[in-house]
Amino acid sequence: MKKYRVGVIGFGQMHITTMVDSFLKMPETYEFMGYADTKTDLVSICEKRSTHPAVIHNIVEKCAPIKAYASIEDLFNDKPDLVIVATETSFHCEVICDALSRGIHVIVEKPMAMTYNEAAMMCHAAKKNNAVFIINWPTAWFPPFRLIGELGFSGIIGEVQRFSYTNAESLGPFSYGQNLTEEEMLHEWWYHKRYGGGGVMDYIGYGCNLSRWMLGEKATGAFCMATNIRAQFADIEDHATVVLKFPHARALVEGTWATFASGKIPTGPILYGEKGTLVTDRYGTNVALYTERHQKTPPQIFDPRPLEEGRQDLAHEFLHALETGEVHPMLSPALNLDAMAAMDAAIRSIESGKMEVVK
């Protein structure tokens, strides 16, 4: 069996630490050959508490021995088979299009891009160069979310007419024991719109991705109300509510850095159909079906199966995509391009104050 040489590009998105885990479980198939990072005009004044140096250290320890490249160009010139990209969102288009143009396969952590046009450029580059391109969403690997989508497609609640999802709340990317000051946070890319920072870019894409898959069609319009509640020292929004218009349904999508999750209020996704309602939760383990009004206890509960053997994680899904050309819809360029179009329209709606047409 071929052994694939894997490069890591960027540490802006801390999800990189979990992205590499499935590849590390298959040392007979994957070899981490090196890493390179992007450069910004932000110089951290709190390196000991910033996530960035800690993430780099974590990856170097996990993937040792692994080479540090002076630049992304140097890493590309060493001909990796696959790169895992977790840069600041603003660098996605440049880095990914460069990799794909060289025939290097790419897995990128969400969100896909800053704009729809950037996302379209990436998809074009992947198709033109016959390269595997996977957009990773942590929610795509959550069995109850896979199950509720499949139940919706089965017709058990009739035609699905409404979708709702609230991304699991947090107090922002530095809420996990960081306790940074406002001055310190301003030295991190998460609090700068030009790098793709903010709660809108971080969280709203989840609902755009999930609704596109579960409703089975592309949104046609988006209206977004976004506010800056707790991060008024920065030029970002930390809470957003989006209404998406679909040809045969509608979706309500929310995300916030301004509150914390209790674990008691369902995040969804919730699918409302003409014959019933399906409910699951990011902190739950199953899917509940309601078929009558005012039911306090669901008459039926579905437990998800384990993810399909041979496609149960990123490392296996990549091999499956190489062999078959198939990738789960939530991870695919085509569906993510549609989801990015909805997200792009929602972001434009913040400025215009009206519903925007989805490209």
Side-chain angles (χ1 to χ4, degrees):
M1 179 181 288
K2 174 180 171 64
K3 195 164 189 176
Y4 296 93
R5 301 175 75 241
V6 182
V8 176
I9 300 180
F11 302 90
Q13 173 55 265
M14 60 278 285
H15 292 180
I16 186 64
T17 58
T18 54
M19 290 175 74
V20 304
D21 285 346
S22 61
F23 295 88
L24 290 170
K25 294 174 183 176
M26 302 175 67
E28 72 286 354
T29 306
Y30 297 105
E31 173 189 4
F32 281 92
M33 44 82 74
Y35 68 91
D37 202 6
T38 50
K39 294 180 174 62
T40 73
D41 63 353
L42 301 172
V43 180
S44 178
I45 60 172
C46 53
E47 285 197 354
K48 289 183 179 178
R49 288 192 289 166
S50 169
T51 59
H52 194 91
V55 171
I56 296 175
H57 179 73
N58 188 315
I59 293 298
V60 171
E61 282 202 333
K62 278 186 173 186
C63 303
I66 185 171
K67 179 179 177 180
Y69 287 86
S71 69
I72 295 171
E73 178 75 13
D74 288 346
L75 187 149
F76 285 159
N77 288 339
D78 208 4
K79 303 187 183 311
D81 297 299
L82 164 70
V83 290
I84 302 175
V85 178
T87 68
E88 301 85 346
T89 308
S90 60
F91 292 109
H92 283 184
C93 186
E94 178 184 355
V95 170
I96 291 168
C97 286
D98 191 359
L100 294 171
S101 70
R102 300 168 187 250
I104 300 170
H105 306 297
V106 174
I107 296 174
V108 63
E109 180 64 1
K110 66 86 195 167
M112 185 178 186
M114 295 281 283
T115 66
Y116 170 80
N117 290 338
E118 288 185 357
M121 289 172 62
M122 298 178 204
C123 292
H124 175 74
K127 187 174 182 180
K128 180 180 178 181
N129 296 284
N130 196 30
V132 171
F133 181 31
I134 293 174
I135 300 90
N136 186 59
W137 293 88
T139 42
W141 304 103
F142 190 51
F145 285 13
R146 296 272 188 107
L147 176 59
I148 192 174
E150 292 162 4
L151 288 170
F153 297 142
S154 75
I156 195 171
I157 58 171
E159 182 182 9
V160 180
Q161 300 170 344
R162 181 183 166 206
F163 166 100
S164 67
Y165 180 68
T166 299
N167 200 67
E169 299 92 335
S170 75
L171 300 180
F174 297 101
S175 61
Y176 303 102
Q178 293 290 331
N179 298 317
L180 303 185
T181 67
E182 292 181 0
E183 182 183 8
E184 288 170 335
M185 284 188 278
L186 280 173
H187 285 260
E188 303 295 337
W189 76 271
W190 292 100
Y191 293 91
H192 294 272
K193 192 175 290 187
R194 69 184 183 275
Y195 287 120
V200 174
M201 287 296 293
D202 190 24
Y203 277 172
I204 291 303
Y206 283 98
C208 293
N209 176 274
L210 289 164
S211 62
R212 169 61 185 86
W213 178 55
M214 293 184 190
L215 294 177
E217 56 187 6
K218 181 179 177 179
T220 59
F223 175 76
C224 179
M225 182 183 72
T227 54
N228 189 335
I229 299 174
R230 297 184 71 249
Q232 295 183 12
F233 55 89
D235 69 338
I236 52 98
E237 290 85 20
D238 61 13
H239 181 89
T241 300
V242 180
V243 177
L244 296 175
K245 180 181 178 182
F246 289 81
H248 302 95
R250 64 191 186 277
L252 177 65
V253 174
E254 290 191 285
T256 180
W257 281 0
T259 64
F260 70 93
S262 68
K264 294 292 185 181
I265 303 168
T267 64
I270 302 174
L271 296 179
Y272 301 84
E274 56 186 341
K275 299 178 181 178
T277 301
L278 291 164
V279 182
T280 190
D281 177 66
R282 188 64 183 87
Y283 303 104
T285 58
N286 51 42
V287 178
L289 170 66
Y290 295 86
T291 53
E292 296 181 15
R293 297 181 67 193
H294 310 304
Q295 284 179 313
K296 293 184 178 180
T297 303
Q300 196 166 358
I301 292 177
F302 300 89
D303 293 314
R305 303 180 304 273
L307 298 182
E308 180 184 344
E309 186 70 25
R311 302 185 66 179
Q312 68 267 35
D313 54 36
L314 264 177
H316 285 90
E317 185 75 2
F318 172 73
L319 291 178
H320 180 83
L322 276 178
E323 293 168 1
T324 67
E326 178 190 25
V327 65
H328 190 279
M330 283 192 285
L331 306 170
S332 71
L335 186 144
N336 275 280
L337 184 59
D338 287 351
M340 189 69 228
M343 188 170 170
D344 184 278
I347 291 171
R348 285 185 277 116
S349 173
I350 297 172
E351 298 297 326
S352 70
K354 61 183 181 181
M355 177 167 281
E356 292 286 340
V357 174
V358 175
K359 293 181 181 178

